[in-house]
Amino acid sequence: MTAVQAFDYNKGLQECLTKHLKVFEKDIHPSHNPVYNAIARRKIKFIKWILKVIETYPDIEFQILVTMIDSEIIIYKEKLNHARTRPATDKAFDAIQHLEWLRNQLKSTHRNGFRD
C-alpha cells in the first residue's frame, strides 16, 4: 500500500508566483516605455509581497491570502476616493488593477490545482 501525498498548495502557489515574477523581471528593460516598466515593477512588488507572506506564514490558508488582497484593494479604493492630484489617482487606480489581477490569477491557478 502506498501513502498518498497531500498536495502542498502553498508550495504550488509559490512556484506559480515565482514563474510570473521571473516573466515580469525579464520584461523590464531600459529601452521599453517607462510606463510599461513601472507597471511591471508594481506587479513585481505585489507578487513579492504575497511570496513574503507565504514565506512568513507557511501554513496560511489560501482564502486568507485572498482576503488580504481584498483588504488591500479596499484600502487603495479609499485612497482613490480621497486623491486630490492626478498622480495620486493614477497610483491608487494602478494598485487596484494590479491587486485585482493578482487576486484573479491566484483564484484561477488555485482552481486548476496550480497547473500551467
Side-chain angles (χ1 to χ4, degrees), residues 14-32:
Q14 284 177 314
E15 290 172 1
C16 177
L17 289 173
T18 302
K19 286 179 187 178
H20 284 293
L21 186 65
K22 288 178 183 178
V23 168
F24 289 121
E25 286 175 339
K26 194 165 63 168
D27 278 352
I28 296 175
H29 193 274
S31 65
H32 290 160

Side-chain angles (χ1 to χ4, degrees), residues 97-115:
Q97 281 187 315
H98 299 314
L99 286 165
E100 287 176 344
W101 169 84
L102 181 60
R103 179 190 60 202
N104 294 336
Q105 195 68 33
L106 293 180
K107 285 182 175 182
S108 173
T109 53
H110 185 262
R111 215 175 301 120
N112 294 327
F114 300 106
R115 292 185 304 270

Side-chain angles (χ1 to χ4, degrees), residues 2-86:
T2 60
V4 177
Q5 263 188 322
F7 181 73
D8 184 359
Y9 281 104
N10 287 345
K11 184 178 180 199
L13 180 58
Q14 284 177 314
E15 290 172 1
C16 177
L17 289 173
T18 302
K19 286 179 187 178
H20 284 293
L21 186 65
K22 288 178 183 178
V23 168
F24 289 121
E25 286 175 339
K26 194 165 63 168
D27 278 352
I28 296 175
H29 193 274
S31 65
H32 290 160
N33 185 317
V35 174
Y36 179 81
N37 285 337
I39 289 169
R41 283 189 188 97
R42 283 187 211 108
K43 284 186 180 180
I44 289 169
K45 174 185 150 189
F46 289 124
I47 291 171
K48 285 184 177 180
W49 169 60
I50 291 295
L51 286 171
K52 181 70 174 166
V53 169
I54 294 170
E55 182 181 311
T56 305
Y57 304 101
D59 295 332
I60 193 166
E61 292 181 24
F62 180 78
Q63 191 56 44
I64 293 173
L65 285 174
V66 173
T67 303
M68 288 175 64
I69 294 171
D70 288 338
S71 297
E72 284 294 310
I73 291 170
I74 291 168
I75 290 168
Y76 278 104
K77 283 184 178 180
E78 193 64 30
K79 288 181 181 182
L80 183 63
N81 289 337
H82 292 89
R84 300 280 184 236
T85 63
R86 177 68 185 250

